Amino acid sequence: MPLYTKRKTKLHLQLTNSDQATCHGGQVLVDSLCRRFGLWQRLQNEPSLDPRKRKGAGFTPAANVAQVLFTLTSGGASLADGERVGQDRVLMNLLGLAKGADQATLGEFLRAQTPESVRALHRLNAEFVVWSSQQAKPGRWLQGGEVEVFFDDTEIEVQGHQFEGARLNYEGNRALSWQTLWFGPWVLDGILDGAGDVSEHLPVLLDEHQGCWQDRASYLYADSASSAGKYLNRIERGGFSRWSVSYNKWTDVLDRLAAELPADQWSAVPAADLPQEQYAWVKHQPGERAQVQKFATVRWKNEGDLMWRYAYVACQAGAKDLPQAVFERHRLKGAKEQGFSELLSGLDLHHPPCMDLVANQAFYAIATLAYNVLISLKVLELPDAAQSWRLQTIIRHLLTVPVSVSTHARYQVAHLCIPAGWLRWWRLFLDQWVP
């Protein structure tokens, strides 16, 4: 084998005019997917999104939303990044935008939105999710043939006292609450505000979207924040085939009931080389719960323990499900929580861009749509080997593609520099989806 080491490059460096090139050529894939869904026309047809008094001048809602969306899908995170994207004339031309707005204009657009227009953005997002799920191969997003629905909340911490809607959280920091409902790998809907109860919007979100999983095999995951009786009542009416909710807040009665179970109610003691856990069913009616609730229960002892330790999952199980199977399925909730973390970190959504609540709600609605577009691009179009790609991998290795423009007598040509190994995939995509 020859010797490989680090040496200075022998290449000569030469600078060229950036007005003839961009590094964001892969955004044509994002634009193509949005066009297939008809996103830009749907935005144009939504009157509540357009705050302009003179409709014949300025930036249309489709132009503003597109600029913010392309900013996020190219690795940007702020309105200042949006302005820089708008100054990339080759990219703007590549995406069919004659000019990009500056950050002040983008901010004015967001602040001019209303609760009605924010709901319209979320409605468009939900329509895109349903459309994407209908286009995707079932094996790429269903779990055992079931639609997976997931509800979760996160805190978006802010600095200063000027952020509208922010409140003090349990750590004493000012924060906004972002409660989201997931449909497979996509974010179906979300509500950003100052809600004090981390599951306050669960009933509203279920009411809004129950038709998406009604009359089909489905499974809901939720954490212990949704384990109060009133939320379990609403989940039970949600039309899910099965569901499981972490339960670790009010366990005194459950601990007593579990300790009173006879030995033959617990599963057999496992082999010595397996985790020493036993499983059983416990029934109890918590406060506010409309009826007796079944809990999958596990008990174990750590080294040196004299007393059993217990853990519980409130659930609606299948007719043949064992309590151990409920715990094994409920552990898949961890992958859903990782997806939420990926949404926040992959698009850098830890810092709201505006002081006004409605502006931040509009921004996060567009960010949700941007996330779903990237997920749909992966699920619908990328090969099996790329299904494990994270958002940043998609942005860096698929969407960050150099493009140079050359001018001919009657037209211009954009030359995309495709990485090795991806040329065939790009040719097939462009032949099929880009006219």
Side-chain angles (χ1 to χ4, degrees):
M1 176 183 293
L3 175 65
Y4 299 98
T5 187
K6 174 71 176 71
R7 295 187 176 89
K8 183 182 178 184
T9 180
K10 296 180 180 179
L11 299 176
H12 294 271
L13 302 182
Q14 181 178 358
L15 303 181
T16 60
N17 190 344
S18 63
D19 285 347
Q20 298 301 317
T22 181
C23 64
H24 300 300
Q27 293 300 317
V28 296
L29 304 176
V30 175
D31 182 48
S32 172
L33 183 60
C34 292
R35 287 184 181 279
R36 283 162 57 188
F37 170 65
L39 176 61
W40 312 131
Q41 189 58 50
R42 293 178 191 229
L43 289 168
Q44 288 294 92
N45 293 340
E46 179 52 58
S48 65
L49 290 170
D50 195 349
R52 296 174 300 162
K53 295 182 179 179
R54 296 176 54 199
K55 307 300 184 184
F59 294 90
T60 66
N64 283 317
V65 172
Q67 187 172 341
V68 174
L69 189 148
F70 290 131
T71 297
L72 293 167
T73 57
S74 61
S78 65
L79 300 185
D81 292 333
E83 179 174 338
R84 284 186 283 271
V85 166
Q87 293 170 347
D88 188 335
R89 287 191 284 180
V90 173
L91 177 60
M92 292 292 99
N93 191 27
L94 193 66
L95 300 175
L97 292 168
K99 183 180 179 181
D102 58 25
Q103 60 178 315
T105 302
L106 293 174
E108 289 174 2
F109 169 74
L110 294 175
R111 289 189 295 273
Q113 298 308 305
T114 64
E116 178 188 1
S117 63
V118 171
R119 287 194 296 270
L121 286 171
H122 283 294
R123 185 173 62 251
L124 284 173
N125 173 75
E127 292 172 359
F128 177 79
V129 169
V130 172
W131 175 83
S132 296
S133 68
Q134 293 170 346
Q135 308 297 312
K137 298 177 182 178
R140 285 196 169 180
W141 72 282
L142 297 179
Q143 176 68 35
E146 290 181 318
V147 174
E148 291 189 305
V149 181
F150 172 58
F151 174 82
D152 201 8
D153 163 90
T154 192
E155 299 281 311
I156 307 294
E157 293 188 359
V158 298
Q159 301 295 324
H161 297 272
Q162 303 303 316
F163 280 88
E164 182 183 0
R167 55 165 179 78
L168 293 178
N169 62 13
Y170 60 91
E171 294 181 342
N173 300 317
R174 297 187 66 80
L176 294 169
S177 169
W178 193 19
Q179 300 181 24
T180 57
L181 186 69
W182 296 65
F183 186 77
W186 298 281
V187 186
L188 185 59
D189 203 347
I191 298 177
L192 179 77
D193 60 10
D197 187 331
V198 295
S199 292
E200 178 177 323
H201 299 304
L202 171 62
V204 173
L205 293 173
L206 294 183
D207 289 342
E208 182 73 20
H209 301 288
Q210 187 165 333
C212 293
W213 57 81
Q214 193 80 41
D215 300 325
R216 62 187 302 180
S218 56
Y219 195 105
L220 170 75
Y221 305 93
D223 63 17
S224 59
S226 303
S227 62
K230 60 181 180 180
Y231 296 129
L232 296 180
N233 292 335
R234 182 60 190 88
I235 290 172
E236 185 180 34
R237 301 193 306 270
F240 300 103
S241 305
R242 300 186 295 165
W243 52 265
S244 58
V245 179
S246 303
Y247 198 90
N248 55 25
K249 289 188 173 183
W250 307 279
T251 62
D252 290 346
V253 175
L254 289 173
D255 288 345
R256 177 175 56 81
L257 294 173
E260 294 173 353
L261 283 179
D264 60 1
Q265 294 295 310
W266 293 93
S267 60
V269 177
D273 58 339
L274 297 175
Q276 297 300 294
E277 298 174 342
Q278 293 179 276
Y279 297 85
W281 294 113
V282 173
K283 293 183 178 180
H284 168 57
Q285 185 171 358
E288 297 186 298
R289 186 71 172 98
Q291 62 184 36
V292 173
Q293 176 63 53
K294 181 184 282 189
F295 295 85
T297 305
V298 61
R299 70 177 184 179
W300 73 98
K301 288 182 180 179
N302 293 331
E303 185 176 354
D305 283 348
L306 296 178
M307 307 295 291
W308 290 106
R309 298 172 183 262
Y310 300 97
Y312 309 94
V313 171
C315 63
Q316 177 176 294
K320 298 182 179 180
D321 286 345
L322 298 175
Q324 182 174 356
V326 171
F327 272 94
E328 291 172 349
R329 179 63 184 268
H330 190 65
R331 291 188 185 106
L332 298 181
K333 179 174 70 72
K336 301 299 180 183
E337 292 169 340
Q338 290 175 358
F340 202 170
S341 175
E342 171 74 351
L343 166 61
L344 292 168
S345 60
L347 297 183
D348 195 10
L349 298 179
H350 296 285
H351 309 288
C354 302
M355 298 292 186
D356 295 346
L357 179 60
V358 71
N360 287 325
Q361 290 173 333
F363 180 83
Y364 275 75
I366 299 171
T368 300
L369 183 57
Y371 173 84
N372 287 331
V373 169
L374 293 178
I375 293 298
S376 294
L377 183 61
K378 178 178 71 172
V379 173
L380 271 61
E381 302 297 341
L382 294 189
D384 292 340
Q387 290 305 301
S388 62
W389 281 13
R390 298 171 65 86
L391 290 190
Q392 288 300 320
T393 304
I394 296 173
I395 292 172
R396 291 171 182 168
H397 296 286
L398 185 66
L399 303 184
T400 306
V401 175
V403 177
S404 62
V405 176
S406 62
T407 302
H408 295 258
R410 297 182 179 178
Y411 58 90
Q412 291 182 312
V413 176
H415 304 272
L416 285 77
C417 303
I418 306 302
W422 281 90
L423 184 58
R424 182 176 181 275
W425 182 90
W426 268 87
R427 282 176 173 167
L428 292 173
F429 186 97
L430 294 183
D431 289 344
Q432 184 174 8
W433 301 118
V434 180

